[in-house]
Amino acid sequence: MASLPRIGLLLTGGTIDSVGTDRLDLAWYIEAGKRLGAGELLKQLPELAKIAAVEEIPFRRLPSQALVNADWLDLVRKIHAIFDRDRADGLVITHGTNTLEETAYFLNLTLKTVKPVVIVGAMRPASAVSADGYLNVINAVRVAAAPQSRGRGCLVVMNDTVFNARDVTKNATYRVQAFASRDLGPLGYADADGKVIYYHQPMKRHTTQSEFDVRGLQSLPRVDIVLSYANADGIMIEAAAKAGAKAIVSAATGAGRPTPAQDEAFDRVYREQGTIMCLCSRVGSGRVVRSPGLKRRGFVAGDNLPPWKARILLSLALSKTNNADDIQQMFDTY
Ligand code: GLU
């Protein structure tokens, strides 16, 4: 028998390894602060032995909204160290669902590997009746072990579905079908017959084709997000600039309309501090385009990235350049 693919399993926390107060604790388990011990998730999945040689590799475990840039930078270095030493053919990373898509997009832009890196979460804790995490992990291992997953960038597996990191987003607070790629659809499925089937290829540049290499970085430029809503004034924009933001993502109304007071503040902080604005939408679907006026003001447009993903790309872009046209080129590419 050919030897099984070697898959590393990195646990970063979240719901998937959380333990609630009882089997119907589907909501407060994060407050209970209890997790499966080292090796326990794997112990409950003996079926994996037929799919891959899975090795648990320790990493810090946190609720995903607690992760900061330093965790992402360490994770990138950890993943490279694993692959550089040829310890695995692919990786599965368990992650809280709240910011899962942000970590996935960050890795998609910064990892220098064609080996599959698959992020997986769960909507119900490990202790729940009908916990979804166990099958999600088996599916994620199948995806990471599948030769056809190589070179597709960082992948996300939830609810039998394979998504690409750039387009996937959390779409519901509690449903097991919480993740979707909205306008663009999933890449494929880890299906009921145990097969991994792809129907699409990511078209935006990623991983080995990306110009972003953060392995030597200890920090990233500060980028904040400011939401628009009826009556919003410029105070939050000024506060962000004062806090040292090198750029601000505008989560604007509609197809990219901050309020007039916000527009004034964006122009002011740009004039005074060179703070670039990246125009995105709070709508959750569709592109925001770079109008001649936006270009003239020295600003960029976030295409169809949600504000929190535009923030990541902008921060990486600013680690290389302050030129708005060059940054726009990156938004058109990634
Ligand atoms: N559903 C969990 C919560 O909101 C997700 C936790 C996480 O992302 O770590 O509490």
Side-chain angles (χ1 to χ4, degrees):
M1 198 177 97
S3 61
L4 289 171
R6 299 160 307 151
I7 303 300
L9 177 69
L10 275 162
L11 272 57
T12 74
T15 295
I16 193 162
D17 60 354
S18 284
V19 175
T21 48
D22 59 52
R23 289 184 358 125
L24 288 182
D25 179 1
L26 303 178
W28 324 122
Y29 53 89
I30 290 284
E31 290 176 15
K34 239 177 97 190
R35 296 190 181 280
L36 296 177
E40 271 190 74
L41 183 61
L42 277 183
K43 208 156 56 198
Q44 296 198 49
L45 296 172
E47 297 81 1
L48 282 175
K50 288 201 176 122
I51 302 169
V54 182
E55 181 199 356
E56 187 174 314
I57 301 168
F59 193 76
R60 67 204 65 146
R61 290 202 258 164
L62 299 162
S64 70
Q65 65 277 1
L67 295 175
V68 295
N69 284 345
D71 297 306
W72 284 344
L73 293 168
D74 287 348
L75 187 58
V76 166
R77 279 188 279 272
K78 177 102 187 169
I79 292 169
H80 278 106
I82 292 165
F83 287 148
D84 289 349
R85 281 187 224 120
D86 194 25
R87 247 176 104 179
D89 302 309
L91 279 179
V92 170
I93 302 172
T94 67
H95 201 290
T97 52
N98 291 349
T99 65
L100 185 151
E101 69 209 63
E102 289 168 68
T103 299
Y105 189 48
F106 186 78
L107 296 180
N108 195 55
L109 291 171
T110 56
L111 290 179
K112 302 292 159 220
T113 181
V114 295
K115 287 186 177 180
V117 174
V118 180
I119 309 201
V120 63
M123 295 307 291
R124 297 174 183 152
S127 49
V129 173
S130 294
D132 55 328
Y134 299 108
L135 188 56
N136 283 352
V137 168
I138 289 180
N139 283 333
V141 170
R142 282 189 173 128
V143 170
Q148 65 270 33
S149 298
R150 286 171 67 91
R152 286 184 203 261
C154 181
L155 299 166
V156 171
V157 171
M158 289 290 291
N159 201 36
D160 310 340
T161 312
V162 188
F163 300 96
N164 68 321
R166 181 189 183 278
D167 302 325
V168 70
T169 194
K170 190 172 183 179
N171 221 18
T173 50
Y174 288 114
R175 305 288 80 86
V176 291
Q177 71 279 21
F179 282 76
S181 289
R182 295 197 179 151
D183 302 346
L184 303 163
L187 295 183
Y189 297 93
D191 225 333
D193 57 358
K195 291 198 174 133
V196 175
I197 311 286
Y198 285 99
Y199 296 93
H200 300 293
Q201 185 80 273
M203 296 306 290
K204 292 293 191 174
R205 223 186 273 178
H206 57 76
T207 54
T208 53
Q209 305 301 313
S210 148
E211 65 206 270
F212 305 114
D213 187 344
V214 296
R215 281 174 284 185
L217 299 186
Q218 299 307 324
S219 64
L220 291 166
R222 179 178 180 125
V223 177
D224 289 312
I225 301 172
V226 174
L227 183 67
S228 289
Y229 44 89
N231 290 294
D233 63 16
I235 297 288
M236 303 300 270
I237 293 157
E238 272 156 18
K242 208 165 151 208
K246 296 281 170 279
I248 301 171
V249 175
S250 166
T253 66
R257 309 280 171 222
T259 64
Q262 288 183 313
D263 266 328
E264 243 171 68
F266 280 128
D267 287 329
R268 193 163 51 246
V269 298
Y270 177 66
R271 224 172 28 243
E272 287 168 8
Q273 286 176 237
T275 314
I276 290 173
M277 184 264 266
C278 172
L279 191 60
C280 286
S281 172
R282 66 179 201 176
V283 166
S285 169
R287 291 176 66 222
V288 170
V289 298
R290 198 185 196 204
S291 67
L294 201 63
K295 184 175 159 68
R296 214 177 314 116
R297 291 161 72 197
F299 296 155
V300 300
D303 197 271
N304 63 357
L305 289 175
W308 47 96
K309 285 191 182 175
R311 197 192 76 84
I312 289 168
L313 179 53
L314 199 46
S315 179
L316 290 169
L318 287 165
S319 69
K320 296 185 86 83
T321 178
N322 288 317
N323 181 289
D325 291 335
D326 293 343
I327 294 173
Q328 185 62 56
Q329 178 69 37
M330 293 170 185
F331 273 91
D332 297 342
T333 305
Y334 299 100

